[in-house]
């Protein structure tokens, strides 16, 4: 971003919703992919488990402090993810849009073109390191969330090597099949489609979570405050 020096006024305008975007299916498709890639529904189960892993001594006051720290953890993590995704979009738009005869649709192509566009090989190196870090963090959280779901909801307990083999196999088989059948460039479309699927799954994870957290019978005095305010406004009691 320092090398690109984008027009921050135009960047700010890009945050404003545009009516034309709602009528453009391709833009909506990409926006859904960005949402799914940033939030990821399985991370909700992972964070719920991490909250339970905290140890507190001192009753309800300590529990509230632990929940407050967990809220800050999530807020900071999602804010950083938001900034990273914004940076990628601004970098792509500022580097490639209107400057090339054909649009850049492949990550490897973007990696190759960043050096001549920005005038230094450092740009491509940083881009590659960022992609590697994103892949590692995504793999780590997905594996941990899968373990939590298998052990907590399905009551399936497997040795670590079996679980890793199963999860890696389920992830690699579709990717390898796509490359073999449709070529290397199809992996980008598969990546975006998988993120859109994650976005479509978000309501099935968020709505039950919000409902459970708002029930006094499950959460006691630690139920979600928004639900408590809604009940005071006339909502059905939990």
């Amino acid at each position: 971003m320092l090398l690109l020096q984008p027009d921050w006024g135009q960047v700010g305008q890009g945050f404003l919703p545009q009516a034309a975007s709602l009528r453009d299916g391709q833009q909506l498709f990409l926006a859904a992919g960005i949402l799914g890639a940033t939030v990821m529904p399985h991370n909700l189960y992972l964070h719920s488990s991490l909250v339970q892993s905290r140890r507190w001594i001192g009753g309800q006051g300590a529990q509230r402090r632990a929940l407050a720290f967990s809220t800050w953890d999530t807020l900071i993590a999602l804010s950083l993810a938001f900034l990273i995704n914004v940076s990628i979009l601004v970098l792509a738009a500022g580097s490639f849009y209107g400057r090339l005869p054909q649009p850049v649709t492949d990550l490897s192509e973007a990696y190759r073109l960043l050096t001549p566009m920005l005038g230094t090989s450092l740009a491509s190196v940083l881009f590659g390191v960022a992609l590697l870090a994103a892949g590692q963090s995504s793999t780590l959280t997905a594996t941990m969330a899968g373990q939590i779901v298998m052990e907590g909801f399905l009551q399936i307990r497997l040795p670590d090597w079996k679980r890793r083999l199963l999860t890696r196999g389920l992830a690699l088989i579709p990717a390898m099949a796509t490359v073999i059948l449709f070529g290397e460039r199809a992996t980008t479309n598969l990546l975006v489609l998988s993120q859109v699927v994650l976005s479509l799954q978000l309501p099935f994870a968020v709505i039950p979570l919000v409902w459970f957290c708002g029930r006094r019978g499950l959460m006691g005095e630690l139920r979600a405050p928004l639900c408590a305010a809604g009940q005071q406004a006339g909502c059905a009691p939990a």
Side-chain angles (χ1 to χ4, degrees):
M1 296 290 286
L2 291 174
L3 294 170
L4 178 64
Q5 293 296 314
D7 185 336
W8 293 108
Q10 293 186 0
V11 172
Q13 293 178 10
F15 283 97
L16 300 177
Q18 303 291 330
S21 300
L22 299 177
R23 298 189 293 268
D24 190 322
Q26 184 64 23
Q27 290 189 24
L28 286 176
F29 187 79
L30 292 175
I34 293 173
L35 176 63
T38 305
V39 181
M40 294 190 293
H42 52 270
N43 272 353
L44 297 173
Y45 301 106
L46 175 59
H47 281 270
S48 298
S49 178
L50 292 177
V51 170
Q52 297 182 39
S53 68
R54 294 182 181 270
R55 298 292 180 263
W56 51 76
I57 301 175
Q60 192 175 105
Q63 291 178 346
R64 291 188 181 278
R65 286 195 297 272
L67 289 174
F69 284 125
S70 295
T71 301
W72 277 106
D73 286 345
T74 304
L75 179 63
I76 293 172
L78 288 178
S79 298
L80 290 174
F82 169 77
L83 291 175
I84 292 171
N85 278 287
V86 168
S87 299
I88 293 173
L89 288 174
V90 173
L91 178 65
S95 300
F96 304 133
Y97 183 74
R99 302 175 65 181
L100 296 170
Q102 297 293 331
V104 178
T105 58
D106 188 77
L107 289 175
S108 61
E109 190 178 3
Y111 170 82
R112 179 176 56 83
L113 291 173
L114 276 177
T115 293
M117 286 294 176
L118 298 181
T120 174
S121 60
L122 181 62
S124 293
V125 172
L126 291 176
F127 182 72
V129 171
L131 286 180
L132 178 62
Q136 291 299 312
S137 62
S138 178
T139 300
L140 176 64
T141 56
T143 301
M144 293 176 64
Q147 177 182 350
I148 290 165
V149 171
M150 290 176 65
E151 295 182 355
F153 289 97
L154 304 179
Q155 299 296 318
I156 299 176
R157 298 184 179 274
L158 296 174
D160 289 344
W161 69 271
K162 286 185 178 180
R163 183 174 60 252
R164 293 190 182 106
L165 181 62
L166 176 63
T167 55
R168 297 301 190 276
L170 292 175
L172 286 175
I173 290 174
M176 292 179 63
T178 300
V179 172
I180 294 172
L181 295 175
F182 303 105
E184 182 180 351
R185 290 186 175 272
T187 55
T188 300
N189 295 330
L190 177 65
L191 177 63
V192 176
L193 177 61
S194 67
Q195 294 167 346
V196 172
V197 172
L198 288 176
S199 181
L200 295 176
Q201 291 175 338
L202 274 172
F204 299 98
V206 173
I207 293 175
L209 182 63
V210 172
W211 184 67
F212 287 137
C213 289
R215 291 181 63 86
R216 184 183 295 274
L218 292 174
M219 302 298 295
E221 295 299 323
L222 297 176
R223 64 174 175 163
L226 289 179
C227 185
Q231 290 176 16
Q232 292 175 2
C235 295

